[in-house]
Amino acid sequence: MNIIELIQDGVIRAVKSLYGADIGAGDITMNSTRKEFEGDFTVVTFPFTRIARKKPDEIAEEMGRFLSREASYIQRYNVIKGFLNLSLSDAFWREFLADIYRNEKYGQQPPNGHKVLVEFSSPNTNKPLHLGHIRNILLGWSASRILEAAGYEVYKVQVINDRGIAICKSMLAWEKYADGATPASTGIKSDHFVGDYYVLFEQKFRAEYKAWQQSDDARALLREWLASKEAVKAEKEQAQKREKAQKELGAKAANGEVVTLNEADFTLETYFFKSFKDTYFNKYSTLGAEARAMLRRWEEGDAATVALWQRMNNWVYEGFNETYDKLGVSFDKLYYESQTYLLGKDMIERGLAEGIFYRKDDGSTWADLTDAKLDHKALLRSDGTSLYITQDLGTAHLRYQDFGVEKMVYVVADEQNYHFQALFEALKRLKEPYADGLYHLAYGMVDLPTGKMKSREGTVVDADDLIAEVVEEARLNSYERDTLAGLTTEEQQAIVNQIGLAALKFFIIKVHPRKRMTFDPKESVDLQGQTGPYVQNAYVRVQSVLRKGGEQALEAASAYEQLEAQERELLSQLYALPELVQTAAAEYDPSTIANYCYDLAKAFHRFYHDYSILNADTEAAKAFRLQLSQAVANALKLGMNLLGIEMPERM
RNA sequence: GGCCCCGUAGCUCAGCGGAUAGAGCAGCUGCCUUCUAAGCAGCUGGCCGCAGGUUCGAGUCCUGCCGGGGUCACCA
């Protein structure tokens, strides 16, 4: 029995003995005592008023008297209104600390024999990784680590979208304009190199489109559309958009920014050509035709095309791996869409045979999910080719065959919530054995202080740039402080990396995944306050004390009486760690771990400031505080590692 | 319009149905001859979007409304 269960048991006995009623542990409201009151745990006595027919404070008083008499682990109690604050005995805390301070695994659960797969990152291969991917990667990695700590055997995978029209655009642009240039010949990081050709394609295409807009064909189409009733609707929409833009403008102007409305954005012509872009690409564009031809050749297995595809994708992978290395993440297995996109058809056939799915007259296959409050979902095109969900069904099944996992977690942005609901529902209806263990770890988009990231407007924050920036900031700070003197350049660089990445990672992970977040680059490189480096600093302070203290015989701690309130506070926080890890795993929520680490670091910084460890009044106090510091450092290291953040020994 | 998510201090975010709603940043003020000041302490700052309801007790649960976002493809 842990202490919480012991107290609950005591309360149950108290209620029985004092009021003659039987209650269960679930009837007891208990939390850790707020900092401003004395005590470790608090029992709320309001709920017992009906049973006891007494006032809450009387109940608390009677219960407190009972517990301090009957339960040896209770040292003192006090009553404030209906709250019974219990202080555990010094002996209890001493033994708890002696138990854990050497245990670097404290907080982790032993293996539970269950397997879980986590999919994250899963980028397209036409562009380098950006800030949105970083949130995805950090959440996925952290969720994986947390599940491991909760006892699961975890498999980390990604699905790489290596096929389709996007990569063909890069390929085509490279073929047409690169003149044989390579990442090696240009010295450009290889994924950026490929991304540059994607951007180049878009530029050339846009120029082509713009020129075409003046053609007779285009003018005729525009005239025709202007006469349609769609244009009437569009007119209203554009007017609304203009109004909204004007309002935002007003706000900016009040801030002293000088901005003007671009009237051309709100004309019907602009609207038409914007909405016509895809049609133009597919029906009129020369470049579009060439890109689609390339896609067709790829699908037919044309050797030269496949070779180019292979070559460019490899460049991208090489670049991605560099970024993953910098972020300190890795995967157990990669799935490539080019190899999985045909999977799933058999499952759909089976579903069709079993009457779970149905086929429309036009030959397309559908799932009717309306009774699950979802819609009808298309599973196969009328020509029998597969869709995104077709592949997802197949990939899920394949992964089950590969790893035999009972659970699968998909770390994917929340814009795909509906897709995953439909996918999970379809898998459930197919009676897949893992169907009840599916979870979509959905996260909100990352905005900038200036608004949404838009690739068209060049406001996308590049992952590599961002990492370099936070590390550089850490380097400048460290240089100013001059605390790393005596270390080699490599050692210093390693520490500066750890600090910069801690700032970035902590800044992103501390926000609850579900929430859309604003990423302020300026704040993300902050090294003070509620940040990763703040937590690291608490750990480093402990290491410094331990170094100065040398080898200590810590048995004297058993003679330490009268723990200080701040020591109890730290112990109480340490006590909460194992359950916190399990909750974080059950809820797939790394942000709680980040907040815990911050709270613990904060409490330690205060303790460190207010009390001397090495110069404590007695040998017992010194030994006890060394144990306590060690335990705090272990907990911080474990917690931060669950977030994918490394701890330096000095900083 | 239907469904889903969000709304807490000037800004970014915490907050298990329980006590006087908390941090950080920003602003102002103190503390380094003492274990690393990437630290500590103090001040300033709140109709927890609004309105009802459930409850001994609601920022937290329920309903409605308002505001923001997402999504409603034989795209991914």
Side-chain angles (χ1 to χ4, degrees):
Chain A
M1 254 203 238
N2 66 30
I3 193 67
I4 292 170
E5 288 163 342
L6 278 172
I7 295 172
Q8 284 171 340
D9 182 63
V11 172
I12 290 168
R13 284 190 290 121
V15 169
K16 178 76 177 167
S17 151
L18 295 167
Y19 313 119
D22 290 303
I23 59 165
D27 301 317
I28 301 167
T29 307
M30 209 171 98
N31 8 37
S32 49
T33 304
R34 296 188 129 223
K35 260 210 303 258
E36 60 263 40
F37 304 108
E38 188 196 341
D40 299 311
F41 292 97
T42 296
V43 177
V44 184
T45 59
F46 291 96
F48 302 133
T49 49
R50 210 164 295 148
I51 295 169
R53 304 230 190 100
K54 290 190 173 166
K55 288 180 183 164
D57 51 341
E58 282 177 50
I59 298 168
E61 191 56 47
E62 291 176 352
M63 203 173 270
R65 223 176 298 139
F66 179 93
L67 288 174
S68 58
R69 192 174 62 234
E70 299 280 319
S72 59
Y73 48 84
I74 302 292
Q75 188 170 60
R76 275 195 302 278
Y77 70 92
N78 66 81
V79 173
I80 296 165
K81 292 191 279 185
F83 300 93
L84 170 61
N85 300 322
L86 302 167
S87 298
L88 300 181
S89 68
D90 292 333
F92 169 81
W93 285 127
R94 267 198 316 267
E95 282 159 28
F96 165 68
L97 179 57
D99 237 28
I100 65 156
Y101 82 95
R102 252 197 264 268
N103 179 5
E104 290 185 13
K105 294 215 158 115
Y106 173 72
Q108 289 182 36
Q109 299 300 313
N112 63 16
H114 296 290
K115 295 178 180 179
V116 56
L117 178 145
V118 182
E119 176 199 308
F120 60 101
S121 192
S122 302
N124 295 340
T125 55
N126 59 324
K127 273 180 285 190
L129 303 172
H130 57 71
L131 178 54
H133 292 114
I134 289 192
R135 189 175 194 190
N136 183 307
I137 292 165
L138 297 180
L139 282 172
W141 179 259
S142 178
S144 303
R145 299 303 308 268
I146 291 167
L147 286 162
E148 262 166 27
Y152 289 92
E153 189 173 333
V154 180
Y155 299 95
K156 301 177 290 288
V157 307
Q158 56 174 330
V159 176
I160 300 177
N161 180 9
D162 60 346
R163 66 184 201 100
I165 194 74
I167 183 67
C168 286
K169 289 179 183 177
S170 299
M171 285 157 63
L172 183 68
W174 185 82
E175 220 173 45
K176 287 175 90 87
Y177 312 114
D179 200 18
T182 66
S185 75
T186 55
I188 298 171
K189 184 165 177 281
S190 55
D191 52 337
H192 289 254
F193 179 86
V194 175
D196 289 346
Y197 284 95
Y198 183 80
V199 171
L200 184 62
F201 179 94
E202 288 297 325
Q203 280 169 358
K204 298 277 185 188
F205 170 73
R206 228 174 302 141
E208 184 200 278
Y209 187 35
K210 199 149 191 198
W212 177 82
Q213 285 170 22
Q214 301 309 318
S215 72
D216 293 343
D217 275 4
R219 302 326 288 179
L221 280 163
L222 175 61
R223 272 196 303 279
E224 197 184 309
W225 179 81
L226 283 171
S228 74
K229 48 185 184 275
E230 256 180 80
V232 181
K233 233 168 56 192
E235 192 163 14
K236 259 183 237 160
E237 246 177 76
Q238 289 292 74
Q240 275 173 9
K241 232 195 275 176
R242 193 182 175 284
E243 206 176 308
K244 201 174 154 188
Q246 189 122 48
K247 235 194 277 172
E248 278 170 26
L249 209 83
K252 278 189 185 168
N255 267 331
E257 283 181 61
V258 185
V259 263
T260 50
L261 220 52
N262 183 3
E263 293 298 340
D265 287 349
F266 307 103
T267 63
L268 279 175
E269 183 173 334
T270 303
Y271 183 96
F272 171 71
F273 283 121
K274 211 165 151 188
S275 61
F276 192 72
K277 195 175 162 200
D278 282 352
T279 314
Y280 172 77
F281 181 86
N282 288 318
K283 287 203 174 137
Y284 299 87
S285 168
T286 319
L287 283 168
E290 286 181 76
R292 273 180 296 115
M294 187 164 266
L295 180 61
R296 221 172 307 118
R297 283 203 302 281
W298 179 83
E299 280 175 356
E300 286 160 2
D302 172 67
T305 309
V306 170
L308 175 61
W309 171 79
Q310 196 73 262
R311 190 173 184 208
M312 293 192 75
N313 270 336
N314 281 337
W315 284 339
V316 172
Y317 302 148
E318 206 179 295
F320 282 176
N321 285 339
E322 242 180 79
T323 308
Y324 291 144
D325 277 354
K326 279 190 278 188
L327 287 172
V329 306
S330 60
F331 298 88
D332 297 306
K333 175 158 184 160
L334 310 186
Y335 291 88
Y336 297 91
E337 284 194 10
S338 58
Q339 289 160 10
T340 61
Y341 77 106
L342 296 173
L343 293 176
K345 288 189 187 178
D346 290 350
M347 292 169 77
I348 292 168
E349 286 304 325
R350 175 164 71 81
L352 216 41
E354 290 173 14
I356 300 169
F357 306 138
Y358 68 97
R359 186 158 277 161
K360 277 193 187 171
D361 292 342
D362 61 10
S364 55
T365 307
W366 293 75
D368 178 359
L369 306 177
T370 46
D371 52 344
K373 278 170 72 183
L374 298 166
D375 217 329
H376 292 258
K377 181 87 180 172
L379 304 176
L380 284 175
R381 290 199 186 88
S382 49
D383 62 4
T385 57
S386 52
L387 291 161
Y388 187 47
I389 193 165
T390 321
Q391 163 189 274
D392 271 352
L393 290 166
T395 307
H397 189 78
L398 178 63
R399 287 164 169 176
Y400 178 70
Q401 290 178 336
D402 285 349
F403 299 109
V405 293
E406 303 109 282
K407 288 168 172 280
M408 296 189 198
V409 181
Y410 295 79
V411 184
V412 180
D414 62 4
E415 59 191 354
Q416 294 197 38
N417 283 353
Y418 177 78
H419 170 78
F420 281 100
Q421 282 177 22
L423 174 68
F424 294 170
E425 187 59 33
L427 286 166
K428 217 169 270 180
R429 292 179 187 206
L430 284 165
K431 301 214 169 47
E432 292 286 287
Y434 49 84
D436 289 323
L438 296 164
Y439 184 76
H440 174 206
L441 175 41
Y443 60 90
M445 293 287 161
V446 183
D447 292 322
L448 299 173
T450 47
K452 275 187 172 181
M453 281 199 287
K454 287 178 186 157
S455 54
R456 233 179 328 118
E457 292 169 20
T459 54
V460 176
V461 176
D462 177 75
D464 296 306
D465 290 350
L466 184 58
I467 293 167
E469 202 178 313
V470 292
V471 170
E472 176 59 12
E473 185 67 23
R475 196 185 66 77
L476 291 173
N477 265 273
S478 169
Y479 186 74
E480 240 172 66
R481 270 172 245 274
D482 198 32
T483 45
L484 301 182
L487 296 180
T488 66
T489 321
E490 288 77 30
E491 286 168 334
Q492 290 186 11
Q493 188 55 44
I495 289 171
V496 160
N497 263 312
Q498 287 174 331
I499 296 169
L501 281 169
L504 175 60
K505 291 179 176 184
F506 195 89
F507 186 78
I508 290 175
I509 297 180
K510 73 178 179 187
V511 180
H512 193 285
R514 197 171 42 232
K515 283 194 162 175
R516 206 180 170 98
M517 68 173 292
T518 307
F519 182 90
D520 187 338
K522 274 206 301 289
E523 277 181 43
S524 74
V525 300
D526 265 356
L527 309 174
Q528 275 137 35
Q530 197 177 31
T531 66
Y534 174 93
V535 180
Q536 288 179 320
N537 186 232
Y539 176 86
V540 162
R541 283 178 140 183
V542 174
Q543 300 316 309
S544 176
V545 168
L546 293 177
R547 272 196 303 274
K548 291 237 160 80
E551 280 299 307
Q552 301 279 336
L554 301 182
E555 288 73 34
S558 61
Y560 186 53
E561 309 277 346
Q562 307 262 339
L563 310 203
E564 302 289 344
Q566 288 192 39
E567 292 165 342
R568 285 170 166 267
E569 167 66 20
L570 283 167
L571 287 160
S572 168
Q573 288 190 39
L574 290 171
Y575 193 84
L577 180 60
E579 202 183 319
L580 179 84
V581 171
Q582 298 205 71
T583 310
E587 293 175 359
Y588 306 96
D589 179 9
S591 70
T592 55
I593 303 282
N595 287 312
Y596 172 86
C597 288
Y598 173 71
D599 288 339
L600 182 58
K602 188 175 166 62
F604 182 79
H605 276 306
R606 191 152 81 99
F607 170 70
Y608 179 92
H609 177 268
D610 291 350
Y611 295 90
S612 184
I613 298 164
L614 294 175
N615 296 317
D617 293 339
T618 63
E619 280 305 305
K622 179 175 163 185
F624 181 86
R625 286 176 188 168
L626 280 167
Q627 284 187 354
L628 182 57
S629 303
Q630 180 73 66
V632 168
N634 287 343
L636 290 176
K637 186 170 192 173
L638 181 100
M640 293 290 267
N641 280 339
L642 296 184
L643 308 180
I645 298 174
E646 293 176 14
M647 295 300 234
E649 297 303 305
R650 55 179 76 210
M651 63 193 288

